[in-house]
Amino acid sequence: VKSEGPKLVPFFKATCVYFVLWLPTSSPSWFSALIKCLPIFCLWVFLLAHGINFLVSHRSASRILAGLIFSAVGDAFLIWQEQGYFIHGLLMFAITHILYSSAFGMKPLDLKAGLLMGFVSSSCYAFLYSYLSGPFTYLVAVYIALIGFMGWRAVAGMQLRNDLWTWTKLSACIGAMLFMVSDLTIALNKFCFPVPYSRFIIMATYYAAQMLIALSAVESRDEEDFRKRS
């Protein structure tokens, strides 16, 4: 907390600015896009503050940074989702989940966690299916599969049973779960029925998720030691 907390102060300030201004979504603009993306920009700075050499030499950290970049682009597209850019935002976040999954890695495999996440993802899609039409029928299916896979890799990295977990692995796990909550709320609100306080729920869980996933990148410093303990 002492070493990483000060680097996150700009992120917390930018998040407060977003919630204080609370710009209306009915009139999208480049200014509202900037305010929405500003916390994510601050997470770029958080990772860059660890040094370019650190990012270049640790693929997990660099992939999380790349995921944050695609997230910001996705956020900008979603500002204009009513003007036909929702699918563009969906694509950007799909790429983000691929990058995060790659950053979390495939070891340990933990098939039980995979089956659990598969069941949760399948249940969510089964509920949404009757509300979907046209290209969203398969686009949402692919997206849910990708975010479910990302969630699996984050949960698998915890290794609770082997007592090998770290606070950064816990950050990745909680961050992935919050990301799923945020995206499920978006899907329910867009395709099914109005969700009370949907925008607040979506953005609060989204910003928290991104911060926690960004925090998990600092585990890359001890990657070799972690593998030895595994």
Side-chain angles (χ1 to χ4, degrees), residues 17-37:
V17 168
Y18 173 83
F19 284 108
V20 169
L21 291 181
W22 203 245
L23 298 171
T25 56
S26 57
S27 54
S29 66
W30 284 108
F31 179 70
S32 58
L34 174 63
I35 295 301
K36 184 181 181 184
C37 295

Side-chain angles (χ1 to χ4, degrees), residues 4 7-8 40-55 60-69 100 210-211 213-221:
E4 304 301 333
K7 300 186 186 77
L8 286 169
I40 307 303
F41 294 159
C42 292
L43 292 178
W44 297 3
V45 175
F46 167 75
L47 290 180
L48 290 170
H50 291 83
I52 298 297
N53 290 336
F54 168 71
L55 293 172
S60 295
S62 60
R63 288 170 185 172
I64 288 176
L65 176 60
L68 288 169
I69 292 172
Y100 286 169
Q210 294 283 42
M211 180 195 71
I213 290 173
L215 269 173
S216 73
V218 302
E219 178 69 13
S220 298
R221 288 176 165 179

